[in-house]
Each structure stands twice: as C-alpha cells, then as structure tokens.
C-alpha cells in the first residue's frame, strides 16, 4: 500500500480523476478525509468529502504497478 496526498478542487478534476482510476480494475483506491474512508472510484462518495482541503489517497496495489499508477495520478498529487 502507498499513500499520496491529492487535491480535487474542481468538478472536472474529480471526473477525470475517477476516469483515470477505473482503468485500474484490479486495484483498490481509498480516499481518507478525517474519519471518513471513501472508495475513490465512487464519484458520489468523493462529492461527500470536503474537497477544499487535500485528501489522502491509499493505493492498494502490488509494488510492480505503483510507478505506473503514480505516473497516471501526477496531475492530482500535491508535492509537499
């Protein structure tokens, strides 16, 4: 598992984020905001979170796939 911090501060960004994630059918993604854990492939779930703040994304994937996934998610990842 790998955790990255992301920002989804617009409706278009949320839609493209979910479209990018659904390409990885064999990988689970969770968004963690405070005490809430949401399936990151659920657009309705994402809109239930406070999107004005950065969110932690937990990626449940094999080490061999992490580089490909992180490269795909670069537009959303916050470099802290």
């Amino acid at each position: 598992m790998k955790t990255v911090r992301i920002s989804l501060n617009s409706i278009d960004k949320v839609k493209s984020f979910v479209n990018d994630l659904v390409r990885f059918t064999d990988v689970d993604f969770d968004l963690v905001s405070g005490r809430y854990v949401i399936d990151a492939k659920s657009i309705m779930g994402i809109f239930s979170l406070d999107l004005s703040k950065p969110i932690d994304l937990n990626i449940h994937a094999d080490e061999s796939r992490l580089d490909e996934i992180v490269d795909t998610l670069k537009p959303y990842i916050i470099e802290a």
Side-chain angles (χ1 to χ4, degrees), residues 58-77:
N58 294 335
I59 305 167
H60 304 278
D62 294 331
E63 291 290 324
S64 59
R65 307 256 346 251
L66 282 177
D67 288 340
E68 174 191 1
I69 294 167
V70 170
D71 282 345
T72 301
L73 299 178
K74 275 204 188 308
Y76 317 102
I77 296 175

Side-chain angles (χ1 to χ4, degrees), residues 6-75:
I6 63 167
S7 175
L8 299 172
N9 51 11
S10 73
I11 293 171
D12 289 332
K13 215 170 180 182
V14 170
K15 288 195 294 191
S16 63
F17 174 75
V18 171
N19 285 335
D20 286 341
L21 291 188
V22 296
R23 291 184 16 220
F24 301 101
T25 56
D26 59 333
V27 179
D28 288 327
F29 299 91
D30 295 322
L31 288 173
V32 181
S33 179
R35 64 181 184 173
Y36 300 105
V37 178
I38 303 293
D39 179 0
K41 293 180 183 178
S42 167
I43 203 162
M44 293 298 288
I46 293 173
F47 283 121
S48 72
L49 299 174
D50 180 2
L51 299 178
S52 65
K53 300 178 194 167
I55 305 166
D56 289 332
L57 173 68
N58 294 335
I59 305 167
H60 304 278
D62 294 331
E63 291 290 324
S64 59
R65 307 256 346 251
L66 282 177
D67 288 340
E68 174 191 1
I69 294 167
V70 170
D71 282 345
T72 301
L73 299 178
K74 275 204 188 308

